[in-house]
Amino acid sequence: MIKAVSAAPTTTRAAKIISRCRELAGISDTPGETSRLFLTPATRDAHTLLTWWMRQTGLEARTDDSGSLRALRRSASPDAPTLLLFSHIDTVPDAGAFDGPLGVILALAAIEELHNTPLPFHIELIAFAEEEGARFGFPFLSSLAATGQLTPEHLARTDIEGISVAQAIRDFGLNPDRIAETCLLPANTFAALEVHIEQGPVLEADDASLAVVEAIVGQSRFQLTFEGHANHAGTTPMSLRHDALVAAAQWIVEVERYASSYTQLVATVGHVDAFPGASNIVPGKVHATLDVRHPRDESRHAAVAHLLTKAESAGGLRGVTVHARLQSEQKAVPMDHALVQHLHQAAGRAGFATRSMFSGAGHDAMILAPHVPTAMLFVRSPGGLSHHPNETVREEDVEAALDTVLNFLLHLHPHA
């Protein structure tokens, strides 16, 4: 019988994980901040440091041809299935130290803790090289490669300097023609786990360390155009105006009101441009964005239909036409129910309470989940802060996450 790992007071284990995250954050493309984009020189230096830590843990590392760093802890049985532990090491510009790297370095700490413990499965640790989409304008490049979904169109995308994804891979000494050979997940992968900071304020508001993610929400993004008539602000009576900005403003208030009436719905108008943009001209045209997210696709679709109808109504009151163009749509992605329950139980055995949450942000877990049973553990983000230099974590929360992962691994049975 395997003894459960018991909850422990804050120790140097968590402090070591945090210290390593901060050391990795010092490797940057831009001096004075943490900015580490896909396959830049900073990526190479980050690989060098991570490879050294992996070797100290007794692992051998390799870089696949999408740029991801991978290490394998072998089971005593060569035919054993594979468990995947993963997160990413690229960042947004001027980032914090923990979004992505915490999951990689905590997973490495768990493997180190279990170095003398036999397990009935191999563990592959993957530090995905690209999740944020900061360099090429689309996210999840590395996890798409790992699941066989990276297309020639993806490889042809270019950055602001005109360098394609394929060329960036070659410049890093890798071969995009070998992606199908070196990047795919092992065929016998039976489960995957990502640990990630919450990137929001919910756990902080609950004074809780951990949450188990039930699903990653679906998302719809639109560009709306409100078109009225520009005219002189001094000579056009209020009753004869076709003010596109006022129509848009009325609709924006409705977006907030409607979304606030549903607990799991969020809707955001994040960007507005008014034209011609002069103080003495009635605005004749407005471009506005709409971002709608919900863990259930049917509810998201209903919300989108309502909000687009309200935009047309707001325009109709003022003789303003409204056109909406869908920019992107992502279905909600549920995590594996059995692994979700196993993760809750692992936290309980370790002595920590967990709540269930939906993730409002996208993660590599959403790319893997349709292909392999996947679970995700959130760690509190103090102040709800993420994608910011002041992003941080608490030692007690990292300790709770590490003990939970250890219990998860010790009690996981591939054929249960």
Side-chain angles (χ1 to χ4, degrees):
M1 180 178 178
I2 298 175
K3 183 181 178 182
V5 178
S6 60
T10 298
T11 70
T12 57
R13 299 187 308 172
K16 181 179 179 181
I17 292 168
I18 293 170
S19 175
R20 281 184 164 182
C21 287
R22 294 200 182 281
E23 185 175 353
L24 191 64
I27 299 175
S28 175
D29 298 310
T30 306
E33 65 181 51
T34 299
S35 296
R36 192 169 50 248
L37 307 188
F38 175 61
L39 297 189
T40 57
T43 303
R44 191 180 304 280
D45 292 341
H47 279 193
T48 299
L49 181 59
L50 283 166
T51 298
W52 169 241
W53 290 337
M54 289 171 174
R55 287 177 177 169
Q56 287 180 313
T57 308
L59 305 177
E60 288 298 319
R62 70 177 179 94
T63 301
D64 70 23
D65 284 286
S66 72
S68 295
L69 186 65
R70 306 169 74 142
L72 185 65
R73 180 200 192 265
R74 296 187 182 276
S75 170
S77 172
D79 297 329
T82 299
L83 167 76
L84 182 65
L85 300 177
F86 67 97
S87 197
H88 63 96
I89 60 168
D90 66 314
T91 75
V92 297
D94 200 14
F98 301 98
D99 174 3
L102 176 67
V104 173
I105 293 170
L106 189 144
L108 183 60
I111 293 171
E112 182 178 18
E113 191 89 1
L114 296 171
H115 70 284
N116 287 326
T117 304
L119 294 172
F121 46 82
H122 307 299
I123 299 176
E124 184 170 35
L125 171 58
I126 302 185
F128 284 123
E130 202 292 320
E131 187 260 9
E132 299 286 5
R135 180 174 178 183
F136 288 98
F138 74 97
F140 311 124
L141 189 156
S142 296
S143 50
L144 288 171
T147 52
Q149 300 179 85
L150 198 66
T151 66
E153 289 75 22
H154 289 136
L155 292 171
R157 293 281 291 268
T158 58
D159 63 12
I160 58 172
E161 296 180 353
I163 299 171
S164 69
V165 173
Q167 187 59 51
I169 289 172
R170 291 190 182 94
D171 291 345
F172 202 76
L174 304 171
N175 185 351
D177 297 330
R178 286 174 47 83
I179 283 176
E181 299 173 44
T182 68
C183 297
L184 295 181
L185 301 180
N188 63 355
T189 303
F190 74 98
L193 173 64
E194 180 173 18
V195 177
H196 205 282
I197 60 171
E198 179 201 346
Q199 298 182 275
V202 175
L203 288 173
E204 178 86 328
D206 287 351
D207 192 23
S209 294
L210 305 173
V212 178
V213 176
E214 289 191 357
I216 298 175
V217 301
Q219 179 181 161
S220 299
R221 292 188 181 186
F222 287 84
Q223 173 84 42
L224 277 75
T225 300
F226 294 77
E227 192 152 11
H229 297 292
N231 216 330
H232 196 291
T235 61
T236 308
M238 300 300 290
S239 61
L240 299 179
R241 295 185 178 197
H242 302 284
D243 191 321
L245 183 56
V246 174
Q250 178 182 333
W251 170 71
I252 291 168
V253 172
E254 171 61 16
V255 170
E256 182 193 43
R257 186 206 65 77
Y258 182 77
S260 297
S261 64
Y262 294 90
T263 56
Q264 295 176 337
L265 176 68
V266 292
T268 305
V269 179
H271 186 84
V272 176
D273 286 318
F275 302 94
S279 61
N280 61 345
I281 301 177
V282 176
K285 181 183 291 188
V286 168
H287 293 313
T289 61
L290 174 65
D291 182 315
V292 180
R293 307 187 191 203
H294 196 282
R296 294 180 179 83
D297 289 332
E298 61 273 19
S299 298
R300 172 170 51 86
H301 294 154
V304 166
H306 173 86
L307 294 175
L308 295 183
T309 299
K310 287 295 184 179
E312 292 176 353
S313 298
L317 292 173
R318 296 171 178 83
V320 172
T321 61
V322 180
H323 301 281
R325 179 171 60 87
L326 179 65
Q327 293 183 305
S328 64
E329 186 166 53
Q330 173 65 53
K331 293 181 179 179
V333 180
M335 298 294 100
D336 181 78
H337 179 72
L339 289 181
V340 164
Q341 295 307 309
H342 184 61
L343 200 49
H344 278 297
Q345 292 163 4
R349 284 190 299 267
F352 303 103
T354 50
R355 58 164 291 164
S356 296
M357 276 187 63
F358 298 105
S359 174
H363 299 280
D364 287 309
M366 69 191 292
I367 304 301
L368 268 60
H371 302 271
V372 60
T374 301
M376 190 168 194
L377 183 69
F378 270 171
V379 181
R380 169 169 36 190
S381 297
L385 202 60
S386 180
H387 284 187
H388 189 280
N390 294 338
E391 167 188 288
T392 189
V393 291
R394 298 178 183 175
E395 281 194 25
E396 61 266 30
D397 299 340
V398 173
E399 193 71 28
L402 178 58
D403 274 340
T404 296
V405 171
L406 288 169
N407 273 275
F408 180 88
L409 296 174
L410 286 170
H411 290 82
L412 186 63
H413 302 288
H415 305 297

